[in-house]
């Protein structure tokens, strides 16, 4: 589906008015909350056009950098960055949503701000490199799914200048799409006694996908099992069929009391969530 969301751009300056922390990205939040009638509803929280970045900090060798934004009716989001001698990386993401915002959370049973903290999975980035990730990334915790895309960020900027050297996320790594012939149907052969040119070879249909066994654990107990073969049919100018190879696909996700999420990542650019 398509939804409206605004890009956020934050340029944090140091005491000499030089850029020390820069970020531009898009994000969206899917939140499951309890209503006064004790059932659950799903809310979608998008960024508004008015975003502030109070509390953002440059950081240094002994202090973490902090990127912090506030938006809407009492909602906020932040991530802190730590660095070594050669690299920097995201540490923890903190998201606070306010269920007093009745436009987003009508009839919410629990009122007031709710905060969740998740570990950032960002890989270490070389200092003086800018981290770029156009593909969507997901973080799930406590009935909240955070979605990020079109991310550009550089912490501990040197000499106040954003680097031209990019460090790309795994999902943005270029891959060559498999060449898949179109499937054929209702092919018949007529017998004849006359000589004719050799027939054009009929393209082979795409083979059925290999069945994979995927599982999730909660603690030391298995909480989700899936045995499935997956094929993606991408509608575009030239239809593309892709089989998901279970030998190169990893399973991740979460199990809750009332919901479970299974995420399959083929290690290239395909991420499927159930």
């Amino acid at each position: 589906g398509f939804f409206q969301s605004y890009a956020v751009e934050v340029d944090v300056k140091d005491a000499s008015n030089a850029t020390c922390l820069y970020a531009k990205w898009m994000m969206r939040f899917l939140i499951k909350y309890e209503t006064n009638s004790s059932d659950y509803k799903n809310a979608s929280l998008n960024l508004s056009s008015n975003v502030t970045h109070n509390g953002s900090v440059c950081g240094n060798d002994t202090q973490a950098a902090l990127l912090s934004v506030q938006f809407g009716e009492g909602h906020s989001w932040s991530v802190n960055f730590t660095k070594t001698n050669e690299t920097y990386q995201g540490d923890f993401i903190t998201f606070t949503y306010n269920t007093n915002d009745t436009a987003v959370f009508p009839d919410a049973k629990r009122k007031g701000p709710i905060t969740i903290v998740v570990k950032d999975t960002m890989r270490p980035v070389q200092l003086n490199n800018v981290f770029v990730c156009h593909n969507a990334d997901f973080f799930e915790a406590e009935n909240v799914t955070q979605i990020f895309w079109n991310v550009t960020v550089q912490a501990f900027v040197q000499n106040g200048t954003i680097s031209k050297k990019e460090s790309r996320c795994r999902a943005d790594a270029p891959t060559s799409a498999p060449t898949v012939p179109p499937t054929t149907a209702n092919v018949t052969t007529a017998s004849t006694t006359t000589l004719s040119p050799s027939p054009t070879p009929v393209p082979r249909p795409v083979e059925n996908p290999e069945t994979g066994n995927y599982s999730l654990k909660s603690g030391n107990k298995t909480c989700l099992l899936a045995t499935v073969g997956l094929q993606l049919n991408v509608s575009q100018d030239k239809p593309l069929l892709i089989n998901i190879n279970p030998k190169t696909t990893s399973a991740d996700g979460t199990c809750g009391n009332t919901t479970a999420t299974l995420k399959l990542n083929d290690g290239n650019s395909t991420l499927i969530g159930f």
Side-chain angles (χ1 to χ4, degrees):
F2 294 90
F3 50 86
Q4 183 176 10
S5 188
Y6 291 88
V8 188
E9 186 172 18
V10 176
D11 189 346
V12 183
K13 308 284 189 180
D14 61 17
S16 62
N17 202 35
T19 297
C20 61
L21 174 60
Y22 176 82
K24 186 176 182 180
W25 75 103
M26 299 187 77
M27 64 181 175
R28 183 191 186 204
F29 305 92
L30 304 178
I31 303 167
K32 186 175 183 178
Y33 69 98
E34 187 177 6
T35 67
N36 285 321
S37 56
S38 295
D39 62 350
Y40 284 84
K41 289 184 178 179
N42 294 310
S44 176
L45 178 59
N46 299 324
L47 291 181
S48 62
S49 57
N50 297 320
V51 177
T52 59
H53 56 88
N54 300 324
S56 296
V57 177
C58 292
N60 51 43
D61 291 338
T62 59
Q63 181 184 15
L66 178 67
L67 179 64
S68 178
V69 295
Q70 304 81 39
F71 58 97
E73 300 296 325
H75 314 297
S76 64
W77 180 91
S78 67
V79 58
N80 67 313
F81 299 91
T82 55
K83 77 169 182 173
T84 64
N85 293 330
E86 299 179 351
T87 64
Y88 69 91
Q89 67 183 104
D91 195 2
F92 288 98
I93 294 174
T94 303
F95 171 52
T96 298
Y97 60 97
N98 184 13
T99 55
N100 285 326
D101 185 352
T102 56
V104 180
F105 305 101
D107 197 32
K109 184 175 183 178
R110 180 179 176 181
K111 297 293 186 181
I114 300 173
T115 299
I116 64 169
V117 179
V118 296
K119 181 79 171 117
D120 194 349
T121 58
M122 174 182 176
R123 291 186 298 175
V125 178
Q126 286 293 121
L127 288 174
N128 202 34
N129 278 27
V130 59
F131 175 77
V132 177
C133 192
H134 294 304
N135 279 273
D137 199 3
F138 303 79
F139 291 88
E140 295 185 20
E142 301 179 35
N143 291 331
V144 175
T145 300
Q146 304 181 52
I147 309 171
F148 307 91
W149 70 102
N150 288 347
V151 175
T152 300
V153 61
Q154 184 178 355
F156 308 101
V157 177
Q158 299 176 5
N159 301 320
T161 304
I162 305 302
S163 176
K164 294 187 181 342
K165 299 177 183 177
E166 292 186 354
S167 177
R168 291 274 183 163
C169 63
R170 293 186 184 92
D172 280 5
T175 57
S176 57
T179 302
V180 182
T183 57
T184 58
N186 300 325
V187 177
T188 59
T189 302
S191 61
T192 177
T193 57
T194 60
L195 295 176
S196 61
S198 299
T200 302
V202 176
R204 290 188 301 108
V206 176
E207 296 179 356
N208 288 332
E210 185 177 346
T211 300
N213 296 302
Y214 308 101
S215 64
L216 297 180
K217 287 186 177 294
S218 179
N220 59 357
K221 294 183 179 180
T222 299
C223 60
L224 188 151
L225 290 171
T227 300
V228 60
L230 290 171
Q231 183 182 86
L232 305 183
N233 187 334
V234 184
S235 298
Q236 51 186 20
D237 292 339
K238 294 182 179 180
L240 178 65
L241 296 180
I242 303 174
N243 284 343
I244 302 302
N245 183 358
K247 295 178 181 177
T248 59
T249 299
S250 61
D252 194 6
T254 56
C255 293
N257 293 329
T258 58
T259 61
T261 301
L262 174 65
K263 294 189 294 184
L264 301 180
N265 190 334
D266 73 348
N268 293 314
S269 58
T270 306
L271 177 65
I272 308 173
F274 297 93

